[in-house]
Amino acid sequence: MRRKDFLKLGGLIAATASQSDAFAASKPQSAGNDVDFMHDGLVLTPKEYGGLLMQLADEGKIKPDYYSNGGVVEELEAVFAKLFGKESAVFMPTGTLANHIAVRRLAGQNRRVIVQEQSHLYNDTGDCSQTLSNLNLIPLGLNAVEFTLEELDYIVKKTQGGRVETHVGAISIESPVRRQKDRMFSFESVKKIAEYAKSNNIKMHLDGARVFVQPVHNNVSVIQYSAPFDTVYTSLWKCFNAASGAILARPKSFTENLFHERRMFGSGLPGAWPFAAVALHFANGFAEEYKQSWQKAETLFSLLQKEERFTITKFENGSHIVGLEVKNANAGRFKESLAKKKIEVSAPSGNGFLLKVNPSLLRETPQNLASRFMESLKESEM
């Protein structure tokens, strides 16, 4: 893409940026020493985002798409198909649509779909699958990360043995589970459920919005974890810093001409390149950057726990979220003090915080971060 074409098409998103202060996002630590313990990715500001688009345009790395087909969107789809070990992938504007289309296609005429009771698809999509595609979502695993094979078997047999015989068409598994502190659905459980599903002619979908953080914590690659699933989705804005977007990957027989169904649901974006170009920029580097970030986080946690008023808690089957308890301090003042030192943490619950690790930790040393935590502790003493 020529620079003048970028400025014509993308002036709105880049209006606050100038070439002199364009954000060098290929090196997240170059954005100062701000560290964010709240999000999955870097959360680029409009100025940083526009600056990165200008940088990519100058380097000739933005090829326009046409209604989300071709150009840099097609390049992005090829990269993520490879990252997932699937034959092909297709861009979706949102994760909600990616999940919806996946289970809709997989279920076919068997309209019952098994989901986790704590899943995004069941709780956070406004009953889109039920309303728009007449699917019957059956939640399992009340207030839990996983559901059991026994729960699944009971529902499958109950539906088959009803007065009107029906069948479960698809199973959707979310991992990590946002509503459960991003804890992971264990790979051993996935394999058992997938084997059962195959023997009962039930298709499998993975809601892997944040799945790319998992390998550091469960020693299972994304390709291995995705293999038992017929389809898999991941978010482009959570870990890959796009302003929006999602990827749905699976065999070519599924994704071929899927753009028609995408457009049927009102998602025929005339140009998706502002999302695809940024996600593509970060796609291949996230795994290593997150690995390094977690290593730095581990060092930070060890330093903090030398102070008896700090307690770090790791969760069973946890991924990038840990608990931090602060004793003998005002939690609200502690948060405010950290913010003044360019460290953002979530709102406290009592004297506890949830810290989410992401590549913003590459901007600072664990030692400097620990010093700021210690200073804030002193400033918020009760």
Side-chain angles (χ1 to χ4, degrees):
M1 174 178 274
R2 293 175 298 175
R3 182 177 178 82
K4 66 178 183 179
D5 293 330
F6 168 79
L7 293 174
K8 180 180 178 181
L9 293 170
L12 183 61
I13 196 168
T16 59
S18 65
Q19 189 169 10
S20 62
D21 59 10
F23 179 64
S26 59
K27 298 179 180 179
Q29 61 267 38
S30 69
N33 55 359
D34 295 46
V35 175
D36 169 9
F37 284 99
M38 297 174 59
H39 298 94
D40 304 286
L42 298 177
V43 194
L44 304 180
T45 67
K47 187 174 184 178
E48 291 166 349
Y49 200 98
L52 175 56
L53 283 176
M54 292 178 71
Q55 172 192 322
L56 295 173
D58 284 343
E59 294 171 356
K61 294 180 179 178
I62 302 181
K63 298 177 183 177
D65 58 291
Y66 181 71
Y67 282 91
S68 307
N69 293 318
V72 71
V73 172
E74 185 175 347
E75 294 177 34
L76 178 75
E77 292 169 339
V79 166
F80 272 93
K82 185 176 180 180
L83 289 174
F84 277 119
K86 301 294 185 184
E87 286 183 344
S88 63
V90 63
F91 171 85
M92 293 284 169
T94 68
T96 295
L97 185 60
N99 281 328
H100 180 187
I101 286 183
V103 296
R104 169 192 170 92
R105 277 280 194 105
L106 294 177
Q109 296 304 308
N110 297 321
R111 315 303 290 174
R112 296 192 174 189
V113 177
I114 301 294
V115 296
Q116 292 138 292
E117 186 270 338
Q118 291 285 286
S119 67
H120 174 87
L121 184 58
Y122 185 66
N123 289 284
D124 303 305
T125 62
D127 290 343
C128 68
S129 301
Q130 298 93 316
T131 304
L132 301 177
S133 295
N134 200 31
L135 296 176
N136 181 3
L137 301 190
I138 302 175
L140 300 182
L142 181 65
N143 293 322
V145 175
E146 302 184 7
F147 55 81
T148 66
L149 189 59
E150 289 73 23
E151 289 177 282
L152 174 61
D153 182 58
Y154 173 79
I155 291 297
V156 169
K157 288 178 178 175
K158 185 176 181 180
T159 52
Q160 291 175 350
R163 297 219 172 192
V164 177
E165 182 180 356
T166 54
H167 296 273
V168 172
I171 298 169
S172 176
I173 289 177
E174 177 183 332
S175 187
V177 185
R178 182 186 68 81
R179 287 173 173 265
Q180 289 290 312
K181 301 182 178 70
D182 284 348
R183 291 158 63 199
M184 301 175 289
F185 203 114
S186 73
F187 189 46
E188 290 304 312
S189 297
V190 165
K191 289 189 289 186
K192 290 176 183 177
I193 290 170
E195 184 178 354
Y196 178 91
K198 186 175 182 180
S199 66
N200 286 274
N201 195 31
I202 301 172
K203 302 299 184 181
M204 296 271 290
H205 171 64
L206 172 63
D207 176 344
R210 300 168 174 86
V211 73
F212 281 88
V213 305
Q214 286 194 173
V216 170
H217 305 284
N218 64 5
N219 295 315
V220 179
S221 73
V222 169
I223 290 177
Q224 285 177 295
Y225 196 88
S226 303
F229 294 91
D230 298 280
T231 56
V232 55
Y233 136 74
T234 199
S235 170
L236 296 180
W237 77 264
K238 288 182 173 67
C239 294
F240 301 101
N241 308 309
S244 187
I247 283 288
L248 180 61
R250 81 145 288 167
K252 288 182 180 178
S253 59
F254 183 94
T255 55
E256 188 175 12
N257 295 322
L258 195 60
F259 66 90
H260 290 296
E261 201 161 342
R262 177 179 65 194
R263 191 162 185 172
M264 178 186 73
F265 280 103
S267 295
L269 301 183
W273 58 265
F275 313 128
V278 170
L280 180 61
H281 178 70
F282 290 101
N284 286 313
F286 177 80
E288 181 58 31
E289 286 181 359
Y290 178 71
K291 181 180 179 180
Q292 293 176 17
S293 301
W294 183 256
Q295 290 170 348
K296 285 196 168 189
E298 291 272 47
T299 301
L300 170 63
F301 300 153
S302 296
L303 292 171
L304 292 182
Q305 291 193 111
K306 292 180 179 180
E307 165 56 62
E308 61 181 12
R309 288 176 291 173
F310 284 133
T311 301
I312 297 290
T313 301
K314 294 182 179 178
F315 304 108
E316 182 181 4
N317 287 330
S319 60
H320 56 174
I321 292 179
V322 302
L324 170 67
E325 183 181 0
V326 184
K327 300 184 180 104
N328 300 322
N330 181 290
R333 290 207 305 269
F334 180 73
K335 173 180 168 62
E336 292 172 1
S337 178
L338 283 177
K340 293 175 182 177
K341 297 173 177 57
K342 299 185 178 181
I343 297 175
E344 293 292 333
V345 296
S346 61
S349 176
N351 285 327
F353 298 84
L354 292 178
L355 304 182
K356 181 176 287 190
V357 175
N358 61 60
S360 72
L361 266 76
L362 299 181
R363 296 169 176 165
E364 258 297 359
T365 67
Q367 292 74 19
N368 284 344
L369 286 174
S371 294
R372 291 189 226 169
F373 272 83
M374 298 295 185
E375 290 169 9
S376 293
L377 179 64
K378 185 176 181 179
E379 292 170 7
S380 57
E381 287 178 346
M382 296 178 64

